[in-house]
Amino acid sequence: MLGWALTFLVLAIIAGLLGFGGVASASLWIAQVLCFVFLLVFAISLVVHLVRGRAPPV
């Protein structure tokens, strides 16, 4: 789950750079929403991983 959160975080950052930079001004709102959603999912996943305290499955 942490791997998926990291993957989506990278995608959201890329989408945010494109949207925030004016290259794709039509997708600005969508990029902002995705960026914040994936940052939230990443933070929740990180907290759950730290609370469980066990190694992720390989």
Side-chain angles (χ1 to χ4, degrees), residues 4-45:
W4 280 105
L6 285 172
T7 302
F8 287 126
L9 174 65
V10 170
L11 288 174
I13 289 173
I14 292 170
L17 289 174
L18 292 175
F20 301 153
V23 175
S25 61
S27 66
L28 175 66
W29 184 78
I30 295 171
Q32 287 176 339
V33 170
L34 286 176
C35 186
F36 293 123
V37 166
F38 292 135
L39 281 173
L40 182 66
V41 169
F42 173 70
I44 290 171
S45 178

